Short mmCIF file of all heavy atoms in Angstrom, two decimals:
data_model
loop_
_atom_site.label_atom_id
_atom_site.label_comp_id
_atom_site.label_asym_id
_atom_site.label_seq_id
_atom_site.Cartn_x
_atom_site.Cartn_y
_atom_site.Cartn_z
N SER A 40 27.53 25.11 -10.25
CA SER A 40 28.23 25.18 -8.96
C SER A 40 27.60 24.21 -7.97
O SER A 40 27.36 24.58 -6.79
CB SER A 40 28.14 26.60 -8.36
OG SER A 40 28.73 27.52 -9.20
N GLY A 41 27.51 22.97 -8.35
CA GLY A 41 26.95 21.88 -7.43
C GLY A 41 25.46 21.66 -7.48
O GLY A 41 25.00 20.70 -6.93
N TYR A 42 24.77 22.63 -7.95
CA TYR A 42 23.23 22.48 -8.03
C TYR A 42 22.93 21.64 -9.29
O TYR A 42 23.50 21.86 -10.35
CB TYR A 42 22.57 23.75 -8.09
CG TYR A 42 22.68 24.50 -6.78
CD1 TYR A 42 23.79 25.34 -6.49
CD2 TYR A 42 21.69 24.40 -5.76
CE1 TYR A 42 23.94 26.06 -5.29
CE2 TYR A 42 21.89 25.17 -4.59
CZ TYR A 42 23.02 25.89 -4.36
OH TYR A 42 23.13 26.55 -3.04
N THR A 43 21.74 21.01 -9.32
CA THR A 43 21.27 20.26 -10.38
C THR A 43 20.26 21.00 -11.13
O THR A 43 19.17 21.33 -10.57
CB THR A 43 20.63 18.96 -9.97
OG1 THR A 43 21.73 18.21 -9.27
CG2 THR A 43 20.16 18.19 -11.20
N TYR A 44 20.46 21.29 -12.46
CA TYR A 44 19.56 22.28 -13.27
C TYR A 44 19.10 21.32 -14.33
O TYR A 44 18.52 22.03 -15.30
CB TYR A 44 20.28 23.45 -13.67
CG TYR A 44 20.51 24.42 -12.60
CD1 TYR A 44 21.65 24.45 -11.90
CD2 TYR A 44 19.32 25.28 -12.03
CE1 TYR A 44 21.88 25.34 -10.85
CE2 TYR A 44 19.58 26.12 -11.02
CZ TYR A 44 20.94 26.34 -10.52
OH TYR A 44 21.07 27.12 -9.42
N ASN A 45 19.10 19.99 -14.34
CA ASN A 45 18.62 19.30 -15.59
C ASN A 45 17.18 19.56 -15.83
O ASN A 45 16.74 19.46 -17.01
CB ASN A 45 18.89 17.84 -15.25
CG ASN A 45 20.43 17.45 -15.13
OD1 ASN A 45 21.16 18.39 -15.52
ND2 ASN A 45 20.74 16.28 -14.94
N SER A 46 16.34 19.72 -14.91
CA SER A 46 15.00 19.86 -15.06
C SER A 46 14.43 21.25 -15.24
O SER A 46 13.36 21.55 -15.43
CB SER A 46 14.29 19.23 -13.81
OG SER A 46 14.54 19.99 -12.66
N TYR A 47 15.44 22.23 -15.24
CA TYR A 47 15.16 23.56 -15.46
C TYR A 47 15.32 24.10 -16.81
O TYR A 47 15.92 23.42 -17.53
CB TYR A 47 16.00 24.49 -14.46
CG TYR A 47 15.71 24.44 -13.01
CD1 TYR A 47 16.50 23.96 -12.10
CD2 TYR A 47 14.64 25.26 -12.61
CE1 TYR A 47 16.19 23.91 -10.82
CE2 TYR A 47 14.31 25.35 -11.20
CZ TYR A 47 15.11 24.63 -10.34
OH TYR A 47 14.87 24.72 -8.98
N SER A 48 14.62 25.29 -17.24
CA SER A 48 15.09 25.94 -18.31
C SER A 48 16.14 26.82 -17.93
O SER A 48 16.25 27.27 -16.75
CB SER A 48 13.89 26.71 -18.84
OG SER A 48 12.88 25.89 -19.47
N MET A 49 17.09 27.19 -18.93
CA MET A 49 18.16 27.97 -18.65
C MET A 49 18.21 28.96 -19.76
O MET A 49 17.90 28.77 -20.92
CB MET A 49 19.55 27.27 -18.42
CG MET A 49 19.43 26.23 -17.41
SD MET A 49 21.02 25.43 -17.01
CE MET A 49 21.92 26.80 -16.21
N ALA A 50 18.91 30.16 -19.49
CA ALA A 50 18.87 31.21 -20.45
C ALA A 50 20.15 32.23 -20.28
O ALA A 50 20.72 32.13 -19.24
CB ALA A 50 17.62 32.10 -20.25
N TRP A 51 20.26 32.80 -21.25
CA TRP A 51 21.31 34.02 -21.38
C TRP A 51 20.66 35.29 -21.53
O TRP A 51 19.81 35.43 -22.43
CB TRP A 51 22.30 33.71 -22.45
CG TRP A 51 23.29 32.57 -22.20
CD1 TRP A 51 23.15 31.23 -22.63
CD2 TRP A 51 24.46 32.62 -21.44
NE1 TRP A 51 24.21 30.55 -22.25
CE2 TRP A 51 25.04 31.27 -21.45
CE3 TRP A 51 25.17 33.61 -20.64
CZ2 TRP A 51 26.27 31.12 -20.86
CZ3 TRP A 51 26.33 33.31 -19.97
CH2 TRP A 51 26.90 31.97 -20.02
N PHE A 52 21.00 36.22 -20.76
CA PHE A 52 20.55 37.59 -20.87
C PHE A 52 21.78 38.55 -20.96
O PHE A 52 22.89 38.05 -20.67
CB PHE A 52 19.75 38.02 -19.66
CG PHE A 52 18.43 37.42 -19.55
CD1 PHE A 52 18.26 36.05 -19.06
CD2 PHE A 52 17.22 38.10 -19.89
CE1 PHE A 52 16.99 35.46 -18.99
CE2 PHE A 52 16.00 37.56 -19.76
CZ PHE A 52 15.91 36.20 -19.37
N ARG A 53 21.65 39.80 -21.39
CA ARG A 53 22.63 40.72 -21.61
C ARG A 53 22.09 42.00 -21.19
O ARG A 53 20.90 42.39 -21.36
CB ARG A 53 23.35 40.62 -22.91
CG ARG A 53 22.41 41.03 -24.04
CD ARG A 53 23.14 40.82 -25.35
NE ARG A 53 22.46 41.30 -26.51
CZ ARG A 53 22.75 41.28 -27.78
NH1 ARG A 53 23.85 40.55 -28.14
NH2 ARG A 53 22.00 41.62 -28.76
N GLN A 54 23.10 42.98 -20.80
CA GLN A 54 22.67 44.25 -20.40
C GLN A 54 23.88 45.20 -20.76
O GLN A 54 24.98 44.99 -20.17
CB GLN A 54 22.42 44.44 -19.06
CG GLN A 54 21.76 45.88 -18.57
CD GLN A 54 21.13 45.81 -17.27
OE1 GLN A 54 21.42 45.14 -16.38
NE2 GLN A 54 20.21 46.89 -17.13
N ALA A 55 23.64 46.11 -21.55
CA ALA A 55 24.65 47.22 -22.01
C ALA A 55 24.32 48.43 -21.17
O ALA A 55 23.14 48.59 -20.70
CB ALA A 55 24.61 47.41 -23.47
N PRO A 56 25.34 49.34 -21.02
CA PRO A 56 25.12 50.54 -20.24
C PRO A 56 23.99 51.34 -20.86
O PRO A 56 24.02 51.65 -22.12
CB PRO A 56 26.44 51.19 -20.41
CG PRO A 56 27.37 50.14 -20.58
CD PRO A 56 26.72 49.09 -21.33
N GLY A 57 23.19 51.91 -20.03
CA GLY A 57 22.02 52.62 -20.54
C GLY A 57 20.93 51.89 -21.26
O GLY A 57 20.05 52.43 -21.85
N LYS A 58 20.97 50.66 -21.25
CA LYS A 58 19.87 49.74 -21.91
C LYS A 58 19.38 48.74 -20.89
O LYS A 58 20.08 48.29 -19.97
CB LYS A 58 20.54 49.03 -23.04
CG LYS A 58 19.47 48.44 -23.98
CD LYS A 58 20.27 47.82 -25.17
CE LYS A 58 19.13 47.36 -26.18
NZ LYS A 58 18.31 46.32 -25.64
N GLU A 59 18.14 48.41 -21.01
CA GLU A 59 17.53 47.45 -20.21
C GLU A 59 18.10 45.97 -20.55
O GLU A 59 18.54 45.70 -21.60
CB GLU A 59 16.05 47.36 -20.42
CG GLU A 59 15.36 48.67 -19.88
CD GLU A 59 13.85 48.55 -20.08
OE1 GLU A 59 13.33 47.50 -20.53
OE2 GLU A 59 13.14 49.60 -19.73
N ARG A 60 18.01 45.13 -19.41
CA ARG A 60 18.39 43.86 -19.70
C ARG A 60 17.53 42.95 -20.67
O ARG A 60 16.29 43.26 -20.65
CB ARG A 60 18.39 43.05 -18.40
CG ARG A 60 18.83 41.64 -18.40
CD ARG A 60 19.10 41.10 -16.97
NE ARG A 60 17.92 41.24 -16.16
CZ ARG A 60 17.87 40.82 -14.83
NH1 ARG A 60 18.94 40.45 -14.29
NH2 ARG A 60 16.78 41.01 -14.22
N GLU A 61 18.07 42.30 -21.61
CA GLU A 61 17.20 41.67 -22.63
C GLU A 61 17.67 40.14 -22.64
O GLU A 61 18.73 39.86 -22.58
CB GLU A 61 17.59 42.24 -24.02
CG GLU A 61 18.92 42.17 -24.52
CD GLU A 61 19.13 42.78 -25.91
OE1 GLU A 61 18.03 42.90 -26.58
OE2 GLU A 61 20.25 42.97 -26.36
N GLY A 62 16.72 39.46 -22.91
CA GLY A 62 16.91 37.92 -23.22
C GLY A 62 17.62 37.64 -24.51
O GLY A 62 17.29 38.31 -25.54
N VAL A 63 18.59 36.74 -24.46
CA VAL A 63 19.23 36.52 -25.64
C VAL A 63 18.86 35.09 -26.30
O VAL A 63 18.67 34.94 -27.44
CB VAL A 63 20.76 36.45 -25.33
CG1 VAL A 63 21.59 36.01 -26.54
CG2 VAL A 63 21.21 37.87 -25.03
N ALA A 64 18.92 33.98 -25.26
CA ALA A 64 18.53 32.80 -25.80
C ALA A 64 18.19 31.97 -24.51
O ALA A 64 18.53 32.27 -23.40
CB ALA A 64 19.66 32.01 -26.48
N ALA A 65 17.34 30.92 -24.76
CA ALA A 65 16.91 30.03 -23.65
C ALA A 65 16.79 28.67 -24.21
O ALA A 65 16.54 28.29 -25.34
CB ALA A 65 15.45 30.51 -23.13
N ILE A 66 17.04 27.67 -23.23
CA ILE A 66 16.91 26.23 -23.64
C ILE A 66 16.20 25.49 -22.41
O ILE A 66 16.42 25.84 -21.20
CB ILE A 66 18.39 25.72 -23.84
CG1 ILE A 66 18.20 24.15 -24.42
CG2 ILE A 66 19.16 25.79 -22.60
CD1 ILE A 66 19.61 23.69 -24.95
N ASN A 67 15.24 24.56 -22.75
CA ASN A 67 14.52 23.86 -21.72
C ASN A 67 15.07 22.64 -21.48
O ASN A 67 16.20 22.16 -21.96
CB ASN A 67 13.01 23.87 -22.13
CG ASN A 67 12.77 23.04 -23.30
OD1 ASN A 67 13.52 22.20 -23.89
ND2 ASN A 67 11.47 23.11 -23.79
N SER A 68 14.38 21.86 -20.63
CA SER A 68 14.91 20.48 -20.23
C SER A 68 14.89 19.56 -21.40
O SER A 68 15.68 18.39 -21.27
CB SER A 68 14.07 19.96 -19.04
OG SER A 68 12.71 19.79 -19.50
N ARG A 69 14.21 19.76 -22.41
CA ARG A 69 14.15 18.84 -23.65
C ARG A 69 15.09 19.31 -24.71
O ARG A 69 15.06 18.89 -25.82
CB ARG A 69 12.77 18.77 -24.08
CG ARG A 69 11.79 18.17 -23.18
CD ARG A 69 10.26 18.20 -23.75
NE ARG A 69 10.11 17.50 -24.92
CZ ARG A 69 9.04 17.46 -25.61
NH1 ARG A 69 7.95 18.20 -25.15
NH2 ARG A 69 8.87 16.81 -26.69
N SER A 70 15.76 20.31 -24.31
CA SER A 70 16.88 21.02 -25.34
C SER A 70 16.25 21.67 -26.38
O SER A 70 16.91 21.93 -27.50
CB SER A 70 17.76 19.84 -25.76
OG SER A 70 18.57 19.38 -24.78
N SER A 71 14.94 22.04 -26.31
CA SER A 71 14.32 23.11 -27.19
C SER A 71 14.95 24.39 -26.89
O SER A 71 14.97 24.81 -25.79
CB SER A 71 12.86 23.09 -27.22
OG SER A 71 12.29 21.69 -27.61
N ALA A 72 15.23 25.23 -28.00
CA ALA A 72 15.78 26.56 -27.82
C ALA A 72 14.98 27.56 -28.45
O ALA A 72 14.36 27.48 -29.58
CB ALA A 72 17.21 26.39 -28.35
N ILE A 73 15.10 28.77 -27.95
CA ILE A 73 14.59 29.98 -28.50
C ILE A 73 15.55 31.11 -28.46
O ILE A 73 16.51 31.12 -27.69
CB ILE A 73 13.22 30.51 -27.77
CG1 ILE A 73 13.54 30.58 -26.26
CG2 ILE A 73 12.12 29.45 -28.02
CD1 ILE A 73 12.33 31.18 -25.60
N TYR A 74 15.46 32.06 -29.50
CA TYR A 74 16.54 33.05 -29.60
C TYR A 74 15.84 34.36 -29.90
O TYR A 74 14.91 34.53 -30.46
CB TYR A 74 17.49 32.76 -30.77
CG TYR A 74 18.21 31.57 -30.55
CD1 TYR A 74 17.81 30.26 -31.06
CD2 TYR A 74 19.67 31.55 -30.05
CE1 TYR A 74 18.62 29.17 -30.91
CE2 TYR A 74 20.31 30.41 -29.80
CZ TYR A 74 19.77 29.09 -30.27
OH TYR A 74 20.49 28.07 -30.14
N ALA A 75 16.57 35.45 -29.33
CA ALA A 75 16.10 36.77 -29.85
C ALA A 75 16.46 37.05 -31.19
O ALA A 75 17.41 36.44 -31.79
CB ALA A 75 16.91 37.85 -28.97
N ASP A 76 15.64 37.73 -31.99
CA ASP A 76 15.77 38.02 -33.37
C ASP A 76 17.26 38.56 -33.68
O ASP A 76 17.77 38.34 -34.74
CB ASP A 76 14.74 38.98 -33.87
CG ASP A 76 13.35 38.28 -33.97
OD1 ASP A 76 13.34 37.09 -33.93
OD2 ASP A 76 12.42 39.01 -34.02
N SER A 77 17.81 39.38 -32.83
CA SER A 77 19.01 40.02 -32.99
C SER A 77 20.23 39.10 -33.04
O SER A 77 21.29 39.41 -33.57
CB SER A 77 19.29 41.11 -31.95
OG SER A 77 19.28 40.57 -30.64
N VAL A 78 19.91 37.83 -32.52
CA VAL A 78 21.17 36.95 -32.47
C VAL A 78 20.86 35.64 -33.14
O VAL A 78 21.72 34.85 -33.25
CB VAL A 78 21.46 36.61 -31.02
CG1 VAL A 78 21.83 37.84 -30.14
CG2 VAL A 78 20.51 35.75 -30.33
N LYS A 79 19.64 35.46 -33.66
CA LYS A 79 19.35 34.38 -34.49
C LYS A 79 20.19 34.12 -35.56
O LYS A 79 20.33 34.99 -36.34
CB LYS A 79 17.79 34.36 -34.83
CG LYS A 79 17.20 33.04 -35.14
CD LYS A 79 15.67 33.31 -35.46
CE LYS A 79 14.95 33.74 -34.07
NZ LYS A 79 13.50 33.90 -34.39
N GLY A 80 20.79 32.81 -35.73
CA GLY A 80 21.61 32.56 -36.72
C GLY A 80 23.05 32.73 -36.50
O GLY A 80 23.92 32.37 -37.29
N ARG A 81 23.41 33.51 -35.36
CA ARG A 81 24.74 33.90 -34.98
C ARG A 81 25.09 33.12 -33.63
O ARG A 81 26.24 32.75 -33.59
CB ARG A 81 24.96 35.39 -34.87
CG ARG A 81 24.63 36.01 -36.11
CD ARG A 81 25.10 37.50 -36.03
NE ARG A 81 24.39 38.29 -35.02
CZ ARG A 81 24.85 38.80 -33.87
NH1 ARG A 81 26.27 38.71 -33.66
NH2 ARG A 81 24.07 39.46 -33.02
N PHE A 82 24.12 33.02 -32.82
CA PHE A 82 24.42 32.52 -31.50
C PHE A 82 23.75 31.08 -31.41
O PHE A 82 22.69 30.77 -31.96
CB PHE A 82 23.82 33.39 -30.32
CG PHE A 82 24.50 34.66 -30.15
CD1 PHE A 82 25.53 35.08 -31.00
CD2 PHE A 82 24.25 35.38 -29.14
CE1 PHE A 82 26.15 36.32 -30.77
CE2 PHE A 82 24.89 36.69 -28.85
CZ PHE A 82 25.88 37.05 -29.71
N THR A 83 24.35 30.22 -30.49
CA THR A 83 23.79 28.95 -30.28
C THR A 83 23.91 28.74 -28.80
O THR A 83 25.01 28.71 -28.27
CB THR A 83 24.52 27.85 -31.09
OG1 THR A 83 24.45 28.11 -32.52
CG2 THR A 83 23.81 26.41 -30.87
N ILE A 84 22.77 28.25 -28.21
CA ILE A 84 22.72 27.97 -26.79
C ILE A 84 22.71 26.41 -26.83
O ILE A 84 22.04 25.73 -27.53
CB ILE A 84 21.47 28.49 -26.05
CG1 ILE A 84 21.59 28.27 -24.63
CG2 ILE A 84 20.24 27.94 -26.69
CD1 ILE A 84 20.53 29.00 -23.73
N SER A 85 23.50 25.91 -25.72
CA SER A 85 23.51 24.41 -25.59
C SER A 85 23.81 24.20 -24.10
O SER A 85 24.17 25.14 -23.25
CB SER A 85 24.47 23.68 -26.50
OG SER A 85 25.84 24.28 -26.12
N LYS A 86 23.67 22.90 -23.67
CA LYS A 86 23.92 22.57 -22.20
C LYS A 86 24.50 21.05 -22.15
O LYS A 86 24.28 20.32 -23.02
CB LYS A 86 22.77 22.66 -21.42
CG LYS A 86 21.55 21.75 -21.79
CD LYS A 86 20.35 21.92 -20.93
CE LYS A 86 19.19 21.13 -21.34
NZ LYS A 86 18.08 21.17 -20.41
#
């Protein structure tokens, strides 16, 4: 939305009813990525 995030790390989180918010995937400014074990191999984060 008009802000520059090229130098930031970015991530996806999710929260289901009755459950705590959990990290899904993250990507840093160098495009290195990390994933939660529950989604590894199924989800891909990119920017």
Side-chain angles (χ1 to χ4, degrees):
S40 302
Y42 293 86
T43 300
Y44 289 99
N45 293 350
S46 62
Y47 284 105
S48 293
M49 302 189 73
W51 289 97
F52 289 78
R53 65 186 182 186
Q54 187 168 24
K58 195 176 185 300
E59 294 183 0
R60 183 168 56 188
E61 63 174 346
V63 176
I66 186 167
N67 68 9
S68 61
R69 299 172 62 184
S70 295
S71 296
I73 53 176
Y74 297 91
D76 288 341
S77 60
V78 307
K79 197 171 299 181
R81 299 189 298 121
F82 291 10
T83 302
I84 188 171
S85 62
K86 62 179 180 177

